[in-house]
Amino acid sequence: MRSAFLAGCITLVLPGLAASGHDVVQAWTAWRSAQVVTRETRAVAEAMRASAALMLERGELQAQGLAVTPDFEILARGAAATDLALAHTRSALLEAGASTALINQTQEILSATRIRAMEVVRNRASFRAPSEQFARLIESLDAEMSRAERAITLASPSTGVLVGLARGSNDLRAIAGRRGQLLSLWTGGQGVSPAQKDELLILTGRLAGAWDRIQRGIAAARPTPGLVEAVKITEKRFFVQEEPWYRELAKTAVAGAEPPLSHAQYRRWTKIALGLLVPVREALISEASAQGEGAVSAALRRMLVSLGLALLSVCLVMAAVVVLLRGLVDPVRRITAATAALANGNITASKPVGSRLTEVAAMEAAVAVFRNNLVSLHERETELRGTNLRFGAALENMSQGLTMYDAREHLTVFNRRFCEIVGLPPDRIKIGMTFREVVALSVEAGNFPGQSAEQAYADRQGFISRLDASGQHDELTGERAIAVRYQPMTGAGWVSTYEDVTERRAAEACIAHMAHHDGLTGLANRVLFREEMDRALIRAKRGDSLAVLCLDLDRFKAVNDTLGHSVGDTLLKSVAERLRGCMRDTDILARLGGDEFVILQVAGDQPVGATALARRIIETIGSPFDLDGHRVDIGTSIGIAVAPDDGIEADGLLKSADMALYQAKGDGRGAFRFFEAGMNAKMQLRRGLEIHLRQALGRGEFAVHFQPLVELEAGEVSGFEALLRWDHPTRGQVPPDQFIPLAEELGLIGSIGAWVLREACAAAAAWPAPLSVAVNLSPVQFRNRQLVLDVVGALGASGLAPSRLELEITETAMLFDTDATLATLRQLKELGVRIAMDDFGTGYSSLSYLRKFPFDKIKIDRTFVRDLSVTEGSLAIIRAVTRLAADLGMVTTAEGVETHEQLATLRAQGCTQAQGYLFSQARPANEALGLVRSIGRSMKDVA
C-alpha cells in the first residue's frame, strides 16, 4: 500500500520536478551567460580604448621622433592617458573573470609597449641616421601593440555581434592609422619604399572593405536610432569628406611626388580625421552594453520563477525519497565494499567490519583511489612512451651500428646503422633472431672473408665467452674495415657496437706511407731508407756485402731556373722511373731531397755489382728527356761506399758515399767514384775553401789582373782581358779553375761577377781610348735578371764608353733557355757593349748560335792552339773558324799563344787577335799601360 502510494507520488511529482529543474538550469545558464557577456563587453571596450590610446601615443611618438626637438610634455600627457587606459583594462579583465596569467600578460605587453615608446623618443637625439633606425623601432612598437590586442581578444571569446563590430571599428581605425604612419613618413621627408607604396594601395582598399563590413553587420543587428545616427555621422564626416583627400594623398605618395603640406600640418589634420572614427565605436560599445544589461535582467526574472516551482517539487520528492532510501542502504553498503576491494586490487576480500565511514564517503574514497590509480598509470605510460621515443631517436641517429642480445643469444635491439655497416637489408634482420643466424647473414653479405658461418660464429663466441666489464674488441676485414666492440650487460646478454673504420684505416695507411715515402716521386724517403739500411747492415755484420750509391743530378738547377719548377718536378719523376728500371727488385731506392737520390744495393759481388749499376745509371740518365715538348739533357754523378770495407754504420757509409760523390763531381761530373781514405781529407780541404770563399770578397782578397789582346796585323795592343785572382791568406794564389766552379755552386758568382765588372770598367776608364776591356761572364749570371743592371751600373759608375767593354760568354750559357739568354744579349748589345763567344769549338758548339745572334768576336780555345804543331786537325779547325768569322764579319782571337811558331801560323791563317804568355801573363792594372808600350816595340822587332 505504501509502495503504491509512494510510486504514485513519485510518478506525479517527478515530471514536474524535472521540468522545473530544467527551467532553473536554463534560466541560471542564461543569467550567467548574460553576466559574462556584459562583463566581457565592458572588458573589450576598455581594452579597445586602451589600444586606441596607445595608437594615438604611437602616432605622437612618430611625430616627435621625426621632429628635431621632441616635445616631452606632449609625450608625458600621452603616457598619463595610456596609464589610465591600462588601469581600466585590468579592472575590466578582472570583472570579466579572465585568468590571472592572461591579465598579467596583457598588462605586461601594454606596459612594455608604453615604456618602449618613451625609450625611443628619449634616445632620438642620439641617432645619426634616424630614418632607418627609427623605422625599425616603430615597427617593433607596432608588433607589441598587435600582440596586446590579440591577448585582449582572447579574454572575451563570447562577446556578441555588436562587440565584434566594435572590434571591427577599432581594426578600421588601425588600418587608417597604419596608412597615416606611412604618409607621415612621406610628409616627414623620410621617403616611401616600393614595398611601402604597395602597402599604401592595399591599406586604402582594406579600409573601404572594413567599413563596408561594419555597415552590413550593424544593419543585421537591428541597431537603435542612436547607433544609426553615429554611423551616418562617421560616413559623412570621414568617408565622404576626408577619405577622398586621403586617397589622393596616397596616390601622390605612390607617384613619388613632393608632399602638398608640411609634416606638422599633416599630423594635426590626421589626428582630427582619425578622431572621427571614435563615435561609431563608442556607439557600438554602448549598444552592446545596453543589450547585455537587458539580457541579464530578463534571465534573472526567469530564473526566480523557475526556482520557486523547482523548490515546491523538491519538497514533495524529498518526502518520498526519505522513505525509499531505507530500502537502499544495504545494497549501497555492499556496492561500496565491493568497489573498495576492487580499488585495492583484492576481488575476494570480504566487506569491512566496524568501518566508521558512511557508505557514500566510502564510495567516494574508492572512486578517488580508482582515479588516482588510473592517473598514475597514464602518467607512467606517457613517460614510458617518451622514453621509448627518445631511445628510438638516439638509436637511429647513432653513427655506430648497435645490437643487443639476451642471455639466450636472441636479438632484442638493432638499429638501421648496423644494417648499413654489415651490408644487410633491414628487412632481413628480425627481432628474436639468434646470434648464430645474424652471423650467418653477415657472412653471406661478404663479411668475415675466408671464414664459413660456423667458423665466424665460433670465433665470435670466443670473444663473448671472455667478456668482462672492460669489453672485448673485434674487427671485420674485407673491402671495408669494421671495428666491433662487445660489452656485457648487467644480468645477462651483451651489447655490440659496429663502426666503419675503412676511411680511418686508409687515412692511417696514407699517413704511414707519407711518413716513409717521398711525396713527389713515391720513392722511399730518408726515414724508410735508414730503416732498410739498418736491417741490411745487420746482415753485413755477419759477412754479407752491400753498397750505398749517392746520386746527384748534373745541371738540374739550370732546368729549374730556366724551365720552371713544374718541369723540374716532372724531370725528377722521370729520373725516378729510369732509376727503378736500372735496379733489381731487392735494391732500395730513395730520394733524400732536391735532386739527391740514394740506392742501397744488397747482396751481390761488391764492388763489381755497384760498378755495373753505376754505369747503367750514368748511361740511362745521360739520355735526353722529353718533358712537355722540352728536350732536357742532364747527367748524374755517383759516389759509392761499400760495406763492410768502408764501415758498418749507416751514418758512416752515407758520409763516405757523399764524399765520393763530391769527388766525382769535382772530376768533371757524369762519373762515379768509390770512396777512398784520402777523400775525407780532400772534403775537409774543400769545406775550408768553401768557408773562406764566402768571406773573400768582404775581406778584399780578390784582385783583377789584365792580360793583353794583340792585334796581329797592326802589331799593337787593342785591349785587355780582365782575369780574377784570389790571394788566399794561408794558401796563397788559388787557381781560378778551383774557386770559380765552387763560387757558381755556392751562388756567390753573381756578387763576385758584379764586383769584377765594376773593377774592370773603372781600370779601363783610366786607359787611353780606344783600349778596351773584356770581362768573362759565368753561365750562372745569365740566369739572374740582375746582369743587365750590373753592366749598366758598372758603366755608369766608371764613365767608360759601352763600346770599350767586351763581354765574353761560353757556349754553355746557351744550352738552357736559349730564348731568355738571347734576349739578355740583345739588351746588352743595344747598350753598345761588344759580345764575344769564348772557348769556341769546345763543349756544346752549335753554329746555330752564330746565326741567332750577331757576335762581335769568336775566341778560339787554347787547346787548338797548343796542338797546332802536333795534329793537322787543329790547324784545319782554326782555318775553318777564321774563314767563318771573316765571312760573318767577326773578329777572331786565339788564346794560349806561347811560341813564335804558333803566332806565325795564326797570322798566316788570317786570325785577327792573339793573347797568351808569348806576350804577357795577366798583370795588375797599374802595369797595363807599360805592357802596351813594351809589346808594341817587341811586335815591331818580330815583324
Side-chain angles (χ1 to χ4, degrees), residues 290-314:
Q291 288 186 5
E293 291 171 358
V296 169
S297 299
L300 182 60
R301 288 194 298 272
R302 178 183 173 189
M303 182 182 66
L304 291 175
V305 173
S306 300
L307 186 60
L309 294 175
L311 288 175
L312 179 61
S313 301
V314 167

Side-chain angles (χ1 to χ4, degrees), residues 37 98 141 363 372 483 491 505 607 621 629 631 713 732 802 827 836 888 925 939:
V37 169
L141 179 59
M363 185 178 294
N372 291 339
R505 294 289 183 269
I621 302 302
R631 175 189 169 94
E713 184 176 350
Q827 293 180 31
L888 293 175
M939 289 297 293

Side-chain angles (χ1 to χ4, degrees), residues 758-769 771-773 794-795 797-801 804:
R758 291 193 298 271
E759 291 294 310
C761 289
W767 303 335
L771 287 177
S772 63
V773 64
L795 291 173
S798 63
L800 182 69
R804 295 177 62 190

